Amino acid sequence: MLSISDSFDAGAIEVLEIAPTPTGAAQIRLNVRRDSTTDPSCDFRQWFYFRLQGARGRVCTITLANAGQCTYPKGWDGYRAVASYDRREWFRVPTRYEAGSLHIDHTPLHDSVFYAYFEPYSYDRHLDFIGSIGDREGVEVIRLGSSVDGRDLDLVVIGTPGQGKSNIWVIARQHPGESMAEWFVEGMIERLLDTADPLVRVLLQRSVFHVVPNMNPDGSVRGNLRANAAGANLNREWSEPSRERSPEVFFVRERMLATGVDAFLDVHGDEGLPYVFVAGNEMLPGYSDAQRAVQERFCAAFRAASPDFQTVHGYPSGKYDAQALKLASKYIGHRFGCLSLTLEMPFKDNADLPDASVGWDGARSKRLGAAALGPLLEVIGR
């Protein structure tokens, strides 16, 4: 018997109809549900993650009927959903966007198969990873406070503070559906803990890393695209964060103001653009020639460190003029006058280096996170 479920970490879907056909094929109609929050006016929707059971060997057409009413409908152009039988190995499946609906065409080989908007990064994996590094020399795991739902907000500090050292801050997953951001951080931290890596040894002689792997644990567990449990888009809360509505930003910003910031990366995923790129602070008043030079140096070093990174495609410089200082990288860049970037990865694939099997995925995000350390070494102290 065919069935659809989403009763697991980050699961999110609405079932409209499951209809076997006389030929044994299956027509399945679903809706992408809006973010789960206590704010009825919150209407973000794009993330989906569900389990299909009983379809082994059946030709299935899974239709997301309201795809055209999602937050980023242009994100469906050229998009392919991901699927997995064991939630460890994920692969892309044929997907088409037609007349406002997204259609996934797949014949499962197993009785149970999972489909998702992007390769998930579960809260259990987050807790396991944090637990696995807590006893490492030079690593401190700090609880900054509680999320709206009462989950711990974890900060990982790597390196020994000292006079003249730079404070490098990296945060990920302000938007919980952008799970590639936490994969990026995992790859970065794994490299930072490789004591045999000469680049890491020099980097930690000169700097201390402050890393928040998941800024939005509530939204991650609830299966949200952008909002926390209270309905806040955390990346619009940085000018005036609230303990009630956006405690995640409140506690992280408080710590950043205490330590100071010499370089900052806010890691995200972009629904529409099939590229890896950064967005800087060119639109801000007071943006200096020195900041521009450091940003250009970082980007040149990143291009050399990873062919996945490019500077041709990205956001127009005036995209966030009206609300710039509400965003993390703009607020921090303006407050500290430092290198401060939003780093974006694709939900689709990297059009410059496409992979027909997996597209952009968790493993590529991890490699990019590891590669980002070289460019950071190029710019600290400048």
Side-chain angles (χ1 to χ4, degrees), residues 38-39 144-151 153 171 174-175 215-219 226-255 326:
T38 58
D39 182 353
L144 293 179
S146 295
S147 66
V148 173
D149 280 344
R151 292 184 175 88
L153 188 62
I171 67 171
Q174 288 202 82
H175 298 149
M215 285 284 295
N216 198 336
D218 296 346
R226 290 176 77 83
N228 72 352
N233 176 352
L234 296 184
N235 204 27
R236 301 297 184 273
E237 295 283 320
W238 282 77
S239 60
E240 295 181 285
S242 159
R243 279 181 176 268
E244 293 71 37
R245 181 172 169 81
S246 51
E248 302 90 349
V249 173
F250 180 90
F251 290 121
V252 171
R253 196 186 81 156
E254 188 177 63
R255 182 81 178 194
K326 296 181 180 180

Side-chain angles (χ1 to χ4, degrees), residues 29-349:
R29 294 183 68 249
L30 311 171
N31 267 348
V32 180
R33 71 150 172 80
R34 72 178 184 89
D35 283 3
S36 170
T37 78
T38 58
D39 182 353
S41 68
C42 178
D43 197 35
F44 296 120
R45 65 180 74 216
Q46 193 105 7
W47 173 264
F48 63 86
Y49 182 20
F50 59 90
R51 182 189 190 191
L52 171 62
Q53 292 175 272
R56 177 169 55 170
R58 293 196 185 197
V59 177
C60 295
T61 298
I62 303 168
T63 297
L64 304 183
N66 67 341
Q69 286 76 55
C70 287
T71 305
Y72 300 103
K74 291 184 178 180
W76 303 126
D77 294 332
Y79 168 79
R80 291 180 296 150
V82 298
S84 176
Y85 298 115
D86 58 8
R87 297 201 289 180
R88 290 187 294 273
E89 300 293 330
W90 292 83
F91 54 92
R92 298 280 174 166
V93 290
T95 307
R96 51 197 166 85
Y97 181 54
E98 298 173 349
S101 295
L102 191 75
H103 307 277
I104 301 169
D105 301 304
H106 187 222
T107 303
L109 301 178
H110 296 199
D111 292 323
S112 175
V113 57
F114 294 83
Y115 299 95
Y117 184 36
F118 189 81
E119 181 176 354
Y121 192 107
S122 72
Y123 189 58
D124 276 347
R125 185 181 183 102
H126 167 87
L127 294 176
D128 288 345
F129 185 67
I130 293 295
S132 72
I133 64 176
D135 64 342
R136 300 290 294 270
E137 184 177 354
V139 175
E140 184 179 9
V141 177
I142 298 170
R143 179 184 181 275
L144 293 179
S146 295
S147 66
V148 173
D149 280 344
R151 292 184 175 88
D152 294 335
L153 188 62
D154 294 312
L155 169 68
V156 180
V157 180
I158 302 174
T160 305
Q163 186 175 3
K165 282 193 169 185
S166 297
N167 287 294
I168 299 175
W169 274 83
V170 181
I171 67 171
R173 220 165 170 187
Q174 288 202 82
H175 298 149
E178 297 165 15
S179 52
M180 64 283 288
E182 195 160 3
W183 288 108
F184 175 100
V185 161
E186 182 176 302
M188 173 179 279
I189 290 177
E190 284 181 346
R191 187 177 183 189
L192 281 170
L193 298 181
D194 181 0
T195 56
D197 187 325
L199 184 146
V200 168
R201 293 174 64 184
V202 174
L203 192 54
L204 293 180
Q205 287 171 3
R206 301 179 183 178
S207 61
V208 177
F209 275 75
H210 310 261
V211 185
V212 183
N214 190 339
M215 285 284 295
N216 198 336
D218 296 346
S220 303
V221 173
R222 286 170 175 249
N224 289 353
L225 173 72
R226 290 176 77 83
N228 72 352
N233 176 352
L234 296 184
N235 204 27
R236 301 297 184 273
E237 295 283 320
W238 282 77
S239 60
E240 295 181 285
S242 159
R243 279 181 176 268
E244 293 71 37
R245 181 172 169 81
S246 51
E248 302 90 349
V249 173
F250 180 90
F251 290 121
V252 171
R253 196 186 81 156
E254 188 177 63
R255 182 81 178 194
M256 296 172 87
L257 293 173
T259 65
V261 184
D262 297 292
F264 175 56
L265 295 181
D266 179 19
V267 189
H268 286 261
D270 184 84
E271 290 79 6
L273 292 174
Y275 301 99
V276 177
F277 61 96
V278 295
N281 297 335
E282 298 87 346
M283 78 295 297
L284 296 181
Y287 184 73
S288 68
D289 290 341
Q291 284 176 286
R292 187 183 305 278
V294 170
Q295 181 173 320
E296 290 174 353
R297 187 179 184 90
F298 175 88
C299 290
F302 210 169
R303 287 197 306 269
S306 174
D308 271 326
F309 179 76
Q310 57 80 52
T311 55
V312 175
H313 307 277
Y315 298 147
S317 61
K319 179 176 181 180
Y320 295 116
D321 282 356
Q323 54 183 345
L325 292 181
K326 296 181 180 180
L327 280 70
S329 66
K330 318 309 177 194
Y331 173 84
I332 294 300
H334 184 67
R335 173 67 178 77
F336 293 98
C338 64
L339 177 76
S340 185
L341 300 171
T342 303
L343 187 147
E344 300 279 359
M345 291 172 283
F347 275 89
K348 302 173 183 178
D349 199 352

